[in-house]
Amino acid sequence: MDIEEGKQAGTAPSVQYVLRSIRFFVEGEQGETGDWDGVDGDDKDDFKLFFIMNGTGQGKCYLQRPGRASSIDQQVINCSYYRVCFTTIGYDEVSSLLPDKQELSCAPFAKAMELLDELYGLSGATGELKLFQRFVKFHELLLYLFHQNAPATEDNGTDIEHHGVELSIRHIHEYYRELLTVEDLASLAGIDRWKYTRLFKEVTGQVPLQYLNEVRISQAKKWLASADDKLLDIALNAGFNNEYYFSRRFKQTVGISPGQYRRSRKGELRVVAPYLEDFLVALGMQPIVQYRHEKWGKQDYLGLNHIPTFDENSGNFDELSSYKPDLILLVDRYEQQQYSQCRRISNTCILREPTTNWRTLLRTVADYFGRMDLADNAIANYALKARNASHRLNKLMKDETVAFLRISADQIIQYTEEAQGFVSTVLYGDVGLRSHSAVGITSKSNRPGMFTLSVEELSALTADHLFITFDKWHSQEEGKERALLEQPEWRELPAVRNNRVYEVDFLTWMNNGVISHSKKIDDILRSLA
């Protein structure tokens, strides 16, 4: 069957969607561009999607069609937002999947932000796998929107029901102070109660009362951050019956109490966040005690030399009690006993977000402390820095390849472009350097893009440039991890002979925060440019 036959038979798509650019704009500033392939991303024939954030985890999505006037400019003046430009190629002049309206349904908005963050992280992708990943992520975003904005059909009541759910969502945002029940919302939507809850969850990812609660909490956050009103007054204004219930629901949702949230906005909250100090500093905060590892040391690149340390690797968190923290913030990597120790000391929150996506994690941490604007600023500033570095290095490097090695006393690990987070997303994604092909075998950790090399396999490592860092974890004596440098196999490497080996700080390059990534770019430019 050829393409035309497939089209007639309904088996071939009539339109292809081609991503041209993704940009992130910070409130009140010109944004960094994520354009590629020489495309300016602002062609008059492009479709444009605007995802506008309001700083409370909510937002709106707008579609601007080619050649149509738009009032979106007024919407984005005081907001941070993503702009996605794309075009269509196909047989039909206009795709029937593209909604013929300006404001699109986009709920839960947090899901859209997650997809946008991942797509934005791939804006400088090179290599067949990463380019395909970008292609898939873009189409996943479109599918997410198409599902929620499908055109109405005469034979199906789905669109009418969907409109009813949207009506009830708008009602929640307008009348959240009032007593709202699922029965009331279902009646407003014109849908049976049993069916309404299911449809509401399909649209928002939450049941109605959970969604209502988060809207109320978002409003309460604004008042806690901007006013010194009594907690009872804030609770009543946000739609809660009493201060006790408000405080309990706020802590369940946000992770800290309303009073702690208010103090965090004033810089008064005493926080311990092992291995998350990068995120705190990026948000203008400082921990009261910082992570330290027996072998790896502390995160010197953060400049927290005046902050005391504790040995996170000891497995005993009881010593944190002496610092009297208001909040202990932990990633999901510890034993249950350690979590129990922390809960006995103070309020403890566990971040269960995937740590490979640092943008999502930064926004999650920022939401705890009401500092989403600082998170968006940090993300945009990093993106601008990465883009500038990429343009500069692309002119200098041409087809030269780069490899990164993590060297310890008993193993050598190469990180390639398929690795997730940490080193590879900066070297091969954000900065866009060309990765040297894998040399060894898949690492025992079974993580993608990580390969273990033997000394004998080094002869195949013909990368033009080598970045290396030394891991002291397996060293039984001082300096044992550097023994490789004396091996003849090492000395014969092209990069070694040409003096193109660059040693970098271990914790700076093994961390996955915005500050560590920014310093990686500094190291890369210092070495290559």
Side-chain angles (χ1 to χ4, degrees):
M1 178 182 293
D2 62 25
I3 294 177
E4 185 60 33
E5 290 173 338
K7 181 187 176 186
Q8 293 172 357
T11 60
S14 58
V15 175
Q16 296 178 22
Y17 305 93
V18 181
L19 177 63
R20 290 170 63 81
S21 70
I22 176 171
R23 298 187 179 194
F24 181 72
F25 293 79
V26 182
E27 178 183 342
E29 299 179 7
Q30 288 298 310
E32 182 273 339
T33 69
D35 305 334
W36 47 81
D37 299 334
V39 178
D40 64 9
D42 199 19
D43 191 280
K44 63 181 181 180
D45 295 325
D46 282 348
F47 290 85
K48 298 182 179 70
L49 287 167
F50 295 83
F51 296 84
I52 302 172
M53 306 167 227
N54 64 12
T56 64
Q58 303 297 321
K60 294 184 177 182
C61 175
Y62 295 92
L63 172 66
Q64 182 178 339
R65 286 174 170 258
R68 288 197 185 179
S70 172
S71 60
I72 295 173
D73 288 345
Q74 296 300 316
Q75 304 285 335
V76 302
I77 290 175
N78 297 314
C79 297
S80 297
Y81 63 97
Y82 274 110
R83 189 184 75 181
V84 178
C85 298
F86 66 97
T87 188
T88 58
I89 301 174
Y91 305 98
D92 297 340
E93 183 177 349
V94 178
S95 169
S96 61
L97 289 175
L98 286 168
D100 192 18
K101 56 182 179 179
Q102 189 175 64
E103 184 172 352
L104 305 186
S105 299
C106 184
F109 192 74
K111 173 64 176 177
M113 291 305 303
E114 181 180 333
L115 292 170
L116 286 161
D117 286 344
E118 294 181 35
L119 182 61
Y120 189 75
L122 293 165
S123 59
T126 58
E128 188 173 3
L129 182 60
K130 287 290 186 181
L131 290 172
F132 182 71
Q133 185 179 350
R134 187 175 73 192
F135 170 85
V136 171
K137 192 60 60 178
F138 168 60
H139 284 79
E140 188 178 346
L141 175 66
L142 288 185
L143 183 62
Y144 180 73
L145 295 175
F146 289 167
H147 268 310
Q148 297 188 50
N149 297 276
T153 60
E154 296 181 1
D155 301 328
N156 196 321
T158 301
D159 190 69
I160 296 175
E161 292 172 341
H162 190 275
H163 176 74
V165 171
E166 285 188 342
L167 180 65
S168 69
I169 290 173
R170 289 196 293 271
H171 187 83
I172 288 173
H173 281 274
E174 187 172 356
Y175 297 103
Y176 60 87
R177 294 182 179 88
E178 299 182 4
L179 176 63
L180 298 177
T181 66
V182 178
E183 288 79 7
D184 293 337
L185 294 171
S187 176
L188 178 68
I191 305 171
D192 291 338
R193 185 192 188 286
W194 64 270
K195 192 174 185 181
Y196 171 76
T197 298
R198 176 176 60 80
L199 292 174
F200 191 98
K201 188 171 184 180
E202 288 178 1
V203 171
T204 67
Q206 298 173 310
V207 297
L209 293 184
Q210 182 184 9
Y211 187 89
L212 170 62
N213 177 67
E214 292 206 357
V215 170
R216 288 171 169 170
I217 293 296
S218 293
Q219 294 300 322
K221 284 181 180 178
K222 294 179 181 179
W223 291 315
L224 287 168
S226 60
D228 291 323
D229 295 344
K230 295 179 180 179
L231 291 184
L232 176 59
D233 292 337
I234 291 177
L236 295 176
N237 283 331
F240 294 94
N241 291 329
N242 58 71
E243 181 181 339
Y244 170 76
Y245 181 67
F246 163 63
S247 296
R248 184 162 66 87
R249 293 307 299 264
F250 190 96
K251 186 173 181 179
Q252 287 175 344
T253 303
V254 181
I256 56 179
S257 70
Q260 290 171 330
Y261 184 88
R262 173 180 274 166
R263 291 200 300 277
S264 76
R265 292 302 301 263
K266 297 178 180 179
E268 299 171 356
L269 197 66
R270 296 174 60 81
V271 180
V272 177
Y275 215 59
L276 291 168
E277 290 89 353
D278 190 305
F279 297 90
L280 291 185
V281 175
L283 296 172
M285 303 173 65
Q286 288 193 349
I288 57 173
V289 62
Q290 64 175 314
Y291 159 99
R292 181 185 178 278
H293 189 281
E294 178 186 3
K295 294 282 190 178
W296 297 338
K298 61 184 176 66
Q299 300 159 106
D300 291 323
Y301 73 90
L302 291 174
L304 299 176
N305 297 326
H306 59 294
I307 303 294
T309 64
F310 83 102
D311 186 2
E312 184 259 8
N313 194 51
S314 68
N316 184 4
F317 284 9
D318 283 339
E319 65 175 289
L320 291 178
S321 61
S322 63
Y323 296 99
K324 297 180 173 54
D326 295 317
L327 173 69
I328 302 174
L329 196 61
L330 301 173
V331 292
D332 189 11
R333 57 180 288 212
Y334 300 104
E335 300 294 333
Q336 189 59 45
Q337 176 187 357
Q338 293 166 314
Y339 293 131
S340 299
Q341 287 177 336
C342 291
R343 290 190 179 101
R344 288 196 297 269
I345 296 169
S346 184
N347 296 297
T348 299
C349 298
I350 303 171
L351 299 179
R352 304 190 185 278
E353 298 286 344
T355 55
T356 54
N357 190 332
W358 65 266
R359 293 173 178 85
T360 299
L361 187 53
L362 178 61
R363 284 196 174 104
T364 301
V365 175
D367 189 50
Y368 273 96
F369 305 114
R371 302 188 176 216
M372 198 66 85
D373 54 340
L374 292 176
D376 288 340
N377 266 315
I379 291 169
N381 290 336
Y382 172 82
L384 178 59
K385 184 174 186 175
R387 178 178 182 266
N388 290 338
S390 178
H391 283 190
R392 184 177 176 187
L393 290 169
N394 283 341
K395 296 177 180 178
L396 296 173
M397 296 294 290
K398 303 186 185 303
D399 294 326
E400 295 178 5
T401 60
V402 173
F404 177 84
L405 300 180
R406 175 177 177 171
I407 303 171
S408 62
D410 63 353
Q411 65 179 2
I412 309 166
I413 296 178
Q414 179 189 359
Y415 289 70
T416 65
E417 63 182 333
E418 289 80 18
Q420 298 175 357
F422 303 95
V423 172
S424 297
T425 54
V426 180
L427 268 177
Y428 311 123
D430 301 336
V431 176
L433 296 176
R434 183 181 174 191
S435 174
H436 187 272
S437 57
V439 173
I441 61 173
T442 303
S443 172
K444 293 179 181 179
S445 65
N446 292 322
R447 294 178 180 174
M450 293 174 59
F451 298 87
T452 302
L453 290 71
S454 66
V455 174
E456 292 73 25
E457 289 170 328
L458 281 176
S459 61
L461 189 65
T462 58
D464 298 294
H465 301 267
L466 281 180
F467 285 88
I468 63 173
T469 195
F470 291 99
D471 182 355
K472 299 180 180 181
W473 178 260
H474 302 286
S475 296
Q476 299 301 314
E477 57 185 79
E478 187 68 25
K480 189 66 175 178
E481 68 280 357
R482 293 178 175 271
L484 175 67
L485 304 186
E486 304 303 322
Q487 298 286 342
E489 291 86 351
W490 173 263
R491 292 178 174 177
E492 290 301 315
L493 293 179
V496 176
R497 294 200 310 269
N498 295 323
N499 197 29
R500 291 179 170 180
V501 179
Y502 320 105
E503 181 180 345
V504 293
D505 177 65
F506 180 78
L507 280 179
T508 303
W509 279 64
M510 288 295 106
N511 270 355
N512 195 33
V514 62
I515 298 177
S516 70
H517 284 349
S518 181
K519 290 189 177 294
K520 289 183 185 74
I521 294 177
D522 292 338
D523 289 342
I524 293 167
L525 290 174
R526 190 180 303 113
S527 301
L528 301 179

